[in-house]
Every structure is written in C-alpha cells, then in structure tokens.
Coordinates of all heavy atoms in Angstrom, one line a residue:
S1 N 8.6 -6.7 -7.9 CA 7.3 -7.3 -8.5 C 6.4 -6.2 -8.9 O 6.0 -5.4 -8.0 CB 6.7 -8.3 -7.6 OG 5.4 -8.6 -8.1
L2 N 6.0 -6.0 -10.1 CA 5.0 -5.0 -10.5 C 3.7 -5.2 -9.8 O 3.0 -4.2 -9.4 CB 4.8 -5.0 -12.0 CG 5.7 -4.0 -12.8 CD1 5.5 -4.2 -14.3 CD2 5.3 -2.5 -12.5
W3 N 3.2 -6.4 -9.7 CA 2.0 -6.7 -9.1 C 2.0 -6.3 -7.6 O 1.1 -5.8 -7.0 CB 1.6 -8.2 -9.2 CG 1.1 -8.6 -10.5 CD1 1.7 -9.3 -11.5 CD2 -0.1 -8.1 -11.1 NE1 0.9 -9.5 -12.6 CE2 -0.2 -8.7 -12.4 CE3 -1.2 -7.3 -10.7 CZ2 -1.3 -8.5 -13.3 CZ3 -2.2 -7.1 -11.5 CH2 -2.3 -7.7 -12.8
K4 N 3.2 -6.5 -7.0 CA 3.3 -6.2 -5.6 C 3.3 -4.6 -5.4 O 2.7 -4.1 -4.5 CB 4.6 -6.7 -5.0 CG 4.7 -6.9 -3.5 CD 5.8 -7.7 -3.1 CE 5.8 -8.0 -1.6 NZ 6.9 -8.9 -1.2
C5 N 4.0 -3.9 -6.4 CA 3.9 -2.5 -6.4 C 2.5 -1.9 -6.6 O 2.2 -0.9 -6.0 CB 4.9 -1.9 -7.4 SG 6.6 -2.1 -7.0
I6 N 1.7 -2.6 -7.4 CA 0.3 -2.2 -7.6 C -0.4 -2.4 -6.3 O -1.2 -1.5 -5.9 CB -0.3 -3.0 -8.7 CG1 0.3 -2.6 -10.1 CG2 -1.8 -2.8 -8.8 CD1 -0.1 -3.5 -11.2
K7 N -0.1 -3.5 -5.6 CA -0.8 -3.7 -4.3 C -0.4 -2.6 -3.3 O -1.2 -2.1 -2.5 CB -0.4 -5.1 -3.8 CG -1.0 -5.4 -2.4 CD -2.5 -5.5 -2.4 CE -3.0 -5.9 -1.1 NZ -4.5 -5.9 -1.1
F8 N 0.9 -2.2 -3.3 CA 1.4 -1.2 -2.4 C 0.7 0.2 -2.7 O 0.4 0.9 -1.8 CB 2.9 -1.0 -2.5 CG 3.7 -2.2 -1.9 CD1 5.0 -2.4 -2.2 CD2 3.0 -3.1 -1.0 CE1 5.7 -3.5 -1.7 CE2 3.7 -4.1 -0.4 CZ 5.1 -4.3 -0.8
A9 N 0.5 0.4 -4.0 CA -0.2 1.7 -4.4 C -1.7 1.7 -3.9 O -2.2 2.7 -3.5 CB -0.2 1.9 -5.9
D10 N -2.3 0.4 -3.9 CA -3.6 0.3 -3.4 C -3.7 0.5 -1.9 O -4.6 1.2 -1.4 CB -4.1 -1.1 -3.8 CG -5.6 -1.2 -3.6 OD1 -6.4 -0.3 -4.1 OD2 -6.1 -2.2 -3.0
I11 N -2.6 0.0 -1.2 CA -2.6 0.2 0.2 C -2.4 1.7 0.5 O -3.1 2.3 1.4 CB -1.4 -0.6 0.8 CG1 -1.7 -2.1 0.7 CG2 -1.1 -0.2 2.3 CD1 -0.5 -3.0 1.1
A12 N -1.6 2.4 -0.3 CA -1.4 3.8 -0.1 C -2.7 4.6 -0.4 O -3.0 5.6 0.3 CB -0.3 4.3 -1.0
L13 N -3.5 4.1 -1.3 CA -4.8 4.7 -1.6 C -5.7 4.7 -0.4 O -6.3 5.6 -0.1 CB -5.4 4.0 -2.8 CG -6.9 4.4 -3.1 CD1 -7.0 5.9 -3.5 CD2 -7.4 3.5 -4.3
Y14 N -5.8 3.5 0.2 CA -6.6 3.4 1.4 C -6.1 4.2 2.5 O -6.9 4.7 3.4 CB -6.7 1.9 1.8 CG -7.8 1.2 0.9 CD1 -7.3 0.4 -0.2 CD2 -9.1 1.2 1.1 CE1 -8.3 -0.3 -1.0 CE2 -10.0 0.6 0.3 CZ -9.6 -0.1 -0.7 OH -10.5 -0.8 -1.5
N15 N -4.8 4.4 2.6 CA -4.2 5.2 3.6 C -4.7 6.7 3.3 O -5.0 7.4 4.3 CB -2.7 5.2 3.5 CG -2.0 5.9 4.7 OD1 -1.7 7.1 4.5 ND2 -1.9 5.3 5.8
A16 N -4.7 7.1 2.1 CA -5.2 8.4 1.7 C -6.7 8.6 2.1 O -7.1 9.6 2.5 CB -5.0 8.7 0.2
K17 N -7.5 7.5 1.9 CA -8.9 7.6 2.3 C -9.0 7.8 3.8 O -9.9 8.5 4.3 CB -9.6 6.2 1.9 CG -9.7 6.0 0.4 CD -10.8 6.8 -0.3 CE -11.0 6.4 -1.7 NZ -12.0 7.2 -2.4
D18 N -8.2 7.0 4.5 CA -8.3 7.1 6.0 C -7.8 8.4 6.5 O -8.0 8.8 7.6 CB -7.4 5.9 6.6 CG -8.0 4.6 6.3 OD1 -9.2 4.5 6.0 OD2 -7.3 3.6 6.4
S19 N -6.9 9.1 5.6 CA -6.4 10.4 6.1 C -7.3 11.6 5.7 O -6.8 12.7 5.7 CB -5.0 10.6 5.4 OG -4.1 9.5 5.8
G20 N -8.5 11.3 5.3 CA -9.4 12.4 5.0 C -9.8 12.6 3.6 O -10.5 13.5 3.2
R21 N -9.2 11.7 2.7 CA -9.5 11.8 1.2 C -9.0 13.1 0.6 O -8.4 13.9 1.3 CB -11.0 11.6 1.0 CG -11.6 10.2 1.4 CD -13.1 10.1 1.1 NE -13.5 8.8 1.3 CZ -13.8 8.2 2.4 NH1 -13.8 8.9 3.5 NH2 -14.2 7.0 2.5
N22 N -9.2 13.2 -0.8 CA -8.8 14.3 -1.6 C -7.3 14.6 -1.3 O -6.9 15.8 -1.1 CB -9.6 15.5 -1.3 CG -9.4 16.6 -2.4 OD1 -9.0 16.3 -3.5 ND2 -9.7 17.8 -2.0
C23 N -6.4 13.6 -1.4 CA -5.0 13.8 -1.2 C -4.2 12.7 -1.9 O -4.8 11.7 -2.4 CB -4.7 13.8 0.3 SG -5.0 12.2 1.2
V24 N -2.9 12.8 -1.9 CA -2.0 11.9 -2.6 C -1.1 11.3 -1.5 O -0.5 12.0 -0.7 CB -1.2 12.5 -3.7 CG1 -0.2 11.5 -4.2 CG2 -2.0 13.1 -4.7
K25 N -1.0 10.0 -1.4 CA -0.2 9.3 -0.4 C 0.8 8.4 -1.2 O 0.5 7.6 -2.0 CB -1.0 8.5 0.5 CG -1.8 9.3 1.5 CD -0.9 10.0 2.5 CE -1.8 10.8 3.5 NZ -0.9 11.5 4.5
R26 N 2.1 8.6 -0.8 CA 3.2 7.8 -1.3 C 3.4 6.6 -0.4 O 3.4 6.7 0.8 CB 4.5 8.6 -1.3 CG 5.8 7.8 -1.5 CD 6.0 7.4 -3.0 NE 7.3 6.8 -3.2 CZ 7.6 5.6 -3.0 NH1 6.7 4.7 -2.5 NH2 8.9 5.1 -3.2
F27 N 3.5 5.4 -1.0 CA 3.6 4.2 -0.2 C 4.8 4.3 0.7 O 5.9 4.7 0.2 CB 3.6 2.9 -1.1 CG 3.9 1.7 -0.3 CD1 2.9 1.1 0.4 CD2 5.2 1.1 -0.3 CE1 3.1 -0.1 1.2 CE2 5.4 -0.1 0.4 CZ 4.4 -0.7 1.1
D28 N 4.6 3.8 1.9 CA 5.7 3.7 2.9 C 5.6 2.3 3.6 O 4.5 1.8 3.8 CB 5.6 4.8 3.9 CG 6.9 4.8 4.8 OD1 7.9 5.4 4.4 OD2 6.7 4.2 5.9
A29 N 6.7 1.7 3.9 CA 6.7 0.4 4.5 C 6.0 0.3 5.8 O 5.5 -0.7 6.2 CB 8.2 -0.1 4.7
S30 N 5.9 1.5 6.4 CA 5.2 1.5 7.7 C 3.7 1.3 7.6 O 3.0 1.1 8.6 CB 5.4 2.9 8.4 OG 4.9 3.9 7.6
M31 N 3.2 1.4 6.3 CA 1.7 1.2 6.1 C 1.3 -0.2 6.3 O 0.1 -0.5 6.3 CB 1.4 1.7 4.7 CG 1.5 3.2 4.6 SD 1.1 3.7 2.9 CE 1.4 5.5 3.0
V32 N 2.3 -1.2 6.2 CA 2.0 -2.6 6.3 C 2.9 -3.2 7.3 O 4.0 -2.7 7.6 CB 2.1 -3.3 5.0 CG1 1.0 -2.8 4.0 CG2 3.5 -3.1 4.4
D33 N 2.6 -4.3 7.9 CA 3.5 -5.0 8.8 C 4.5 -5.7 8.0 O 4.4 -5.9 6.8 CB 2.7 -5.9 9.7 CG 1.9 -7.0 9.0 OD1 2.3 -7.4 7.9 OD2 0.8 -7.4 9.4
S34 N 5.6 -6.2 8.7 CA 6.7 -6.8 8.0 C 6.3 -8.1 7.3 O 6.9 -8.4 6.2 CB 7.9 -7.0 9.0 OG 7.4 -7.9 10.1
Q35 N 5.4 -8.8 7.9 CA 5.0 -10.1 7.3 C 4.3 -9.9 5.9 O 4.5 -10.5 4.9 CB 4.1 -10.8 8.2 CG 3.7 -12.3 7.8 CD 4.9 -13.2 7.7 OE1 5.9 -13.0 8.5 NE2 4.9 -14.1 6.8
E36 N 3.4 -8.8 5.9 CA 2.7 -8.5 4.6 C 3.7 -8.0 3.6 O 3.5 -8.2 2.4 CB 1.6 -7.5 4.9 CG 0.7 -7.3 3.8 CD -0.5 -6.4 4.1 OE1 -0.5 -5.9 5.3 OE2 -1.3 -6.2 3.3
L37 N 4.7 -7.2 4.1 CA 5.7 -6.7 3.1 C 6.5 -7.8 2.4 O 6.8 -7.6 1.2 CB 6.6 -5.8 3.9 CG 7.6 -4.9 3.1 CD1 6.8 -3.9 2.3 CD2 8.6 -4.1 4.0
K38 N 6.7 -8.9 3.1 CA 7.4 -10.0 2.5 C 6.6 -10.9 1.7 O 7.1 -11.8 0.9 CB 8.2 -10.7 3.6 CG 9.2 -9.9 4.3 CD 9.8 -10.7 5.5 CE 10.9 -9.9 6.2 NZ 11.5 -10.7 7.4
S39 N 5.3 -10.9 1.8 CA 4.5 -11.9 1.2 C 4.4 -11.6 -0.4 O 4.6 -10.5 -0.8 CB 3.0 -11.8 1.7 OG 2.5 -10.5 1.5
D40 N 4.1 -12.7 -1.1 CA 4.0 -12.6 -2.5 C 2.6 -12.3 -3.0 O 1.6 -12.6 -2.3 CB 4.4 -14.0 -3.2 CG 5.9 -14.2 -3.0 OD1 6.7 -13.3 -2.9 OD2 6.3 -15.4 -2.9
F41 N 2.5 -11.6 -4.1 CA 1.1 -11.3 -4.6 C 1.0 -11.8 -6.0 O 1.9 -11.9 -6.8 CB 1.0 -9.7 -4.7 CG 0.9 -9.1 -3.3 CD1 2.1 -8.7 -2.7 CD2 -0.3 -8.9 -2.7 CE1 2.0 -8.1 -1.4 CE2 -0.3 -8.4 -1.4 CZ 0.8 -7.9 -0.8

C-alpha cells in the first residue's frame, strides 16, 4: 500500500527527529509494534 509506505516514511521521519535531527532514517519494522504494522491506513 502506497499510503501505508507514506505512513512508514513519516514514522521514520519522527525517528530521525528523536535521534537528534539533521539525519536520514530508513524505515524499519522495529520502529512500530506488530499490531500497527498490520493495520490499514
């Protein structure tokens, strides 16, 4: 799902913010719990 991938990129963005900003973060499944990974967007 493209929309889901956009959501995952947004999650990775917030992960980059939490990691000190001014960086690039690739989405990883560990960034969300299993229930959120399976949910629809």
Side-chain angles (χ1 to χ4, degrees):
S1 168
L2 263 174
W3 284 112
K4 202 167 188 178
C5 287
I6 292 172
K7 179 62 177 177
F8 289 161
D10 192 48
I11 291 171
L13 170 63
Y14 280 98
N15 185 268
K17 296 283 189 182
D18 293 340
S19 300
R21 295 181 171 81
N22 194 24
C23 63
V24 176
K25 288 293 182 178
R26 166 77 171 84
F27 172 76
D28 186 83
S30 62
M31 294 179 181
V32 295
D33 57 32
S34 59
Q35 186 66 31
E36 189 176 4
L37 191 64
K38 294 178 181 178
S39 64
D40 294 330
F41 292 89

